[in-house]
């Protein structure tokens, strides 16, 4: 079993879906976890309850990661409470799906600010402490939309593709300080965020997918756990598609 005892993790957008599964998984391996939410306090407290029920340790911090000051407050809250920060999982995300011809500037900005600027904000805020302690594990949750594009998601695909470039560049900057930076590209995982996918596109995706079935949030959580553990300490600047083979079929 991967041992994360003594490690402290911040998981953005961990009130539900992939983020909740990641937070619960890391806590089950011994990490102390900061559960983050933007607006759904009750859902975040449910994540906290699940962690504590299993014997883990966690706190909840509200912060909108698209706002730089909020991201700084989130990271500082982890440092103030636990005394260190070892793992940052940038999972917070949002969608505003529509064809580009109908897309408003606001719909573009909201998606880019949360999915891409949020990664910059949190990594920027976390970098100093990780550099000082000469240790860090950063995982950015991107998407197969970044690898293959997706009609009706120019904003989301662009933001998620930006995460990949960011991941590779930052990995080169901080590798000498024993900080790894990787990305995970989930395929179709049923969550609230993916519930807006049109049924015809979903059916087509299932036909293309070699495994022929959707994943579950725990599939992503397991991949994160590997990358942030000692077993993944020689992997950096990589994009791991956890998608049942969908990306290579698109």
């Amino acid at each position: 079993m991967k041992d994360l005892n003594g490690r402290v993790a911040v998981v953005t957008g961990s009130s539900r879906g992939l983020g909740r599964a990641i937070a619960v998984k890391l806590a089950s391996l011994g990490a102390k976890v900061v559960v983050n939410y933007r607006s759904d306090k009750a859902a975040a407290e449910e994540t906290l309850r699940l962690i504590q029920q299993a014997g883990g340790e966690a706190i909840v911090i509200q912060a909108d990661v698209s706002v730089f000051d909020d991201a700084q407050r989130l990271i500082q809250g982890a440092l103030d409470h636990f005394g260190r920060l070892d793992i940052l999982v940038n999972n917070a995300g949002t969608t505003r799906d529509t064809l580009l011809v109908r897309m408003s500037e606001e719909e573009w900005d909201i998606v880019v600010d949360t999915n891409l600027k949020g990664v910059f904000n949190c990594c920027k805020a976390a970098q100093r402490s990780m550099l000082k302690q000469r240790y860090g594990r950063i995982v950015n949750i991107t998407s197969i939309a970044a690898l293959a594009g997706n009609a009706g998601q120019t904003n989301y695909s662009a933001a998620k593709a930006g995460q990949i470039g960011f991941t590779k560049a930052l990995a080169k900057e901080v590798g000498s300080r024993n900080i790894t930076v990787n990305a995970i590209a989930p395929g179709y995982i049923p969550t609230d965020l993916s519930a807006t996918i049109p049924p015809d596109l979903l059916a087509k995706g299932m036909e293309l997918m070699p495994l022929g079935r959707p994943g579950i949030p725990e599939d992503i959580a397991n991949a994160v756990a590997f990358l942030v553990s000692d077993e993944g300490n020689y992997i950096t600047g990589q994009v791991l598609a956890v998608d049942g083979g969908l990306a290579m079929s698109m």
Side-chain angles (χ1 to χ4, degrees):
M1 177 178 285
K2 305 169 187 68
D3 184 2
L4 298 179
N5 285 314
R7 301 301 187 193
V8 175
V10 169
V11 182
T12 69
S14 47
S15 63
R16 56 184 181 172
L18 300 184
R20 173 179 287 176
I22 293 166
V24 170
K25 179 66 177 182
L26 298 185
S28 76
L29 297 174
K32 299 173 183 178
V33 178
V34 176
V35 176
N36 160 250
Y37 74 100
R38 182 180 64 85
S39 59
D40 195 340
K41 182 179 181 181
E45 290 179 342
E46 174 62 13
T47 303
L48 176 65
R49 186 190 69 79
L50 291 170
I51 290 172
Q52 293 175 335
Q53 182 178 299
E57 184 176 353
I59 61 170
V60 173
I61 298 180
Q62 186 281 331
D64 181 348
V65 299
S66 71
V67 178
F68 185 69
D69 287 348
D70 270 26
Q72 284 191 308
R73 179 170 54 79
L74 170 63
I75 299 303
Q76 191 60 50
L79 294 170
D80 289 345
H81 189 86
F82 291 120
R84 60 184 294 123
L85 174 62
D86 304 288
I87 299 163
L88 171 62
V89 183
N90 287 303
N91 167 78
T94 192
T95 57
R96 295 293 189 277
D97 295 351
T98 188
L99 296 175
L100 182 62
V101 70
R102 299 174 186 152
M103 187 178 294
S104 68
E105 183 179 8
E106 180 185 15
E107 289 168 329
W108 173 273
D109 287 345
I110 288 172
V111 170
V112 172
D113 284 351
T114 299
N115 293 284
L116 183 54
K117 186 183 176 186
V119 173
F120 162 80
N121 289 343
C122 291
C123 287
K124 175 74 172 176
Q127 191 173 31
R128 187 177 299 276
S129 65
M130 288 186 175
L131 289 170
K132 185 176 180 180
Q133 70 192 15
R134 302 185 72 88
Y135 181 90
R137 299 288 179 262
I138 298 172
V139 179
N140 299 319
I141 306 301
T142 180
S143 169
I144 60 164
L147 304 176
N150 199 21
Q153 289 192 318
T154 52
N155 48 6
Y156 186 75
S157 298
K160 290 297 188 178
Q163 284 186 7
I164 292 176
F166 181 98
T167 295
K168 292 178 179 292
L170 184 59
K172 291 180 177 180
E173 290 185 14
V174 299
S176 64
R177 294 297 185 95
N178 193 29
I179 301 170
T180 66
V181 190
N182 292 289
I184 291 175
Y188 177 64
I189 313 288
T191 64
D192 291 346
L193 193 64
S194 63
T196 58
I197 297 176
D200 57 330
L201 288 180
L202 178 57
K204 183 179 179 181
M206 291 301 106
E207 291 175 5
L208 291 172
M209 192 183 305
L211 291 187
R213 60 176 174 80
I216 58 175
E218 287 72 21
D219 292 326
I220 309 304
N222 290 336
V224 171
F226 168 68
L227 288 174
V228 304
S229 74
D230 287 344
E231 294 175 3
N233 65 11
Y234 200 55
I235 301 171
T236 195
Q238 302 304 305
V239 181
L240 175 61
V242 183
D243 66 348
L246 180 57
M248 68 179 180
S249 303
M250 295 177 72

